[in-house]
Amino acid sequence: MPVQPVRSVQPVRSFVALGDSFTEGVGDPYPDGTCRGWADRFAGHLAASEPRLRYANLAIRGKVLRQVVDEQVPAAIALAPDLVSIAAGGNDLLRPRADPDDLAATFEYAVASLRAAGSQVMLFTGFDPGGFPLIRLIRGKAAAFNAQLREVARRHECLHTDLWSMTVLADPRHWCEDRLHLAAEGHRRVALRASEVAGLPVAEDWRDPPPAHLGGPPGWLTERQRDIQWARTHAVPWLRRRVRGISSGDGMAPKRPDLLPL
């Protein structure tokens, strides 16, 4: 018999989000320029069902999985939330020597620690990078890592938000110009998907076609011109930072380190 999806136990009165730039919300700014992102949006959906919700976000851009495990997981355990989300490993997979098996073992250690502390866990399997230049080279490693995370979710009875199956996110209009971070519309859809997984009532569907204000998809020539511009503006500086061992999150603190009302 197929395994039935795990649903969140309602109400969730406290939620902590762990990870890297995806969960910090890079690419989805508030009017003041600070990051919003799927986790803030998802917390808003949680608060609609539980107004007493308290929310912390410990994610910091550029973090690799081991940093999330060593720095963020213990902090989350100390906060003792009802629900913890964890999305990490993408920055590791971009490194040539990344081993999906080793990453999955580290990820499972984090999940087991959070579950043993009494929190429900929502884990994410990553996007399909097949539609993006350069990043598509890690597609095989990403698929192998995802396959193991699905088993981790099953073994530890986690909520599982599967981003690979969100084919709507193959649309480049849901991404920033750097092609590494979701734009606001992409974050909105991920929050809706997470809400669906958690059994929350929402008025919108993440599967809907892109809204009219995003315009139509770019033509072939426009896409190739964007590829060249992307390589100059984003890919080359990113590779230089990697060679120098510099992370975009160096020196940054979490945007919401404490459990506070939304």
Side-chain angles (χ1 to χ4, degrees):
M1 294 179 63
V3 177
Q4 295 300 313
V6 179
R7 296 294 181 183
S8 182
V9 177
Q10 297 296 327
V12 172
R13 296 193 174 93
S14 53
F15 166 50
V16 176
L18 310 181
D20 50 31
S21 58
F22 166 65
T23 299
E24 184 189 345
V26 173
D28 180 17
Y30 285 108
D32 66 359
T34 58
C35 292
R36 187 182 186 183
W38 76 265
D40 284 21
R41 293 173 180 268
F42 174 65
H45 295 311
L46 283 171
S49 297
E50 178 45 70
R52 294 170 292 177
L53 176 79
R54 294 176 301 134
Y55 163 50
N57 189 319
L58 308 182
I60 297 177
R61 67 194 69 182
K63 294 297 184 183
V64 294
L65 177 58
R66 174 51 64 181
Q67 291 173 311
V68 173
V69 173
D70 291 346
E71 300 166 12
Q72 298 177 23
V73 169
I77 290 173
L79 293 171
D82 296 331
L83 175 65
V84 179
S85 71
I86 179 168
N91 289 321
D92 299 82
L93 291 171
L94 291 170
R95 288 162 166 75
R97 296 183 180 180
D99 185 314
D101 293 338
D102 292 343
L103 290 175
T106 302
F107 201 105
E108 183 162 21
Y109 170 79
V111 168
S113 299
L114 292 165
R115 292 293 279 143
S119 295
Q120 176 57 283
V121 173
M122 174 182 285
L123 67 77
F124 286 73
T125 42
F127 308 101
D128 183 352
F132 295 94
L134 187 61
I135 302 172
R136 68 167 61 100
L137 297 176
I138 69 166
R139 191 171 191 259
K141 289 196 297 185
F145 183 46
N146 279 353
Q148 297 209 47
L149 293 192
R150 292 186 185 97
E151 287 302 304
V152 171
R154 182 187 62 79
R155 284 195 293 270
H156 297 277
E157 298 185 326
C158 299
L159 299 170
H160 173 209
T161 302
D162 181 17
L163 303 180
W164 190 284
S165 65
M166 292 183 67
T167 54
V168 66
L169 294 180
D171 191 318
R173 291 171 291 180
H174 297 331
W175 293 81
C176 295
E177 289 183 358
D178 65 8
R179 302 180 181 180
L180 288 173
H181 300 106
L182 287 173
E185 178 62 16
H187 279 284
R188 184 185 72 85
R189 290 174 185 270
V190 171
L192 291 172
R193 177 76 166 116
S195 298
E196 179 182 88
V197 169
L200 297 174
V202 289
E204 301 168 296
D205 193 330
W206 60 268
R207 303 168 187 82
D208 289 339
H213 71 80
L214 292 181
W220 184 89
L221 180 59
T222 299
E223 275 291 279
R224 301 296 74 75
Q225 291 170 336
R226 290 182 177 179
D227 288 347
I228 295 171
Q229 182 63 30
W230 169 80
R232 291 172 177 169
T233 307
H234 300 289
V236 172
W238 180 84
L239 288 170
R240 285 174 179 164
R241 289 198 303 272
R242 284 290 171 266
V243 170
R244 295 166 61 190
I246 297 173
S247 169
S248 57
D250 286 348
M252 293 188 66
K255 67 178 186 178
R256 292 180 65 96
D258 301 310
L259 281 172
L260 296 172
L262 190 61

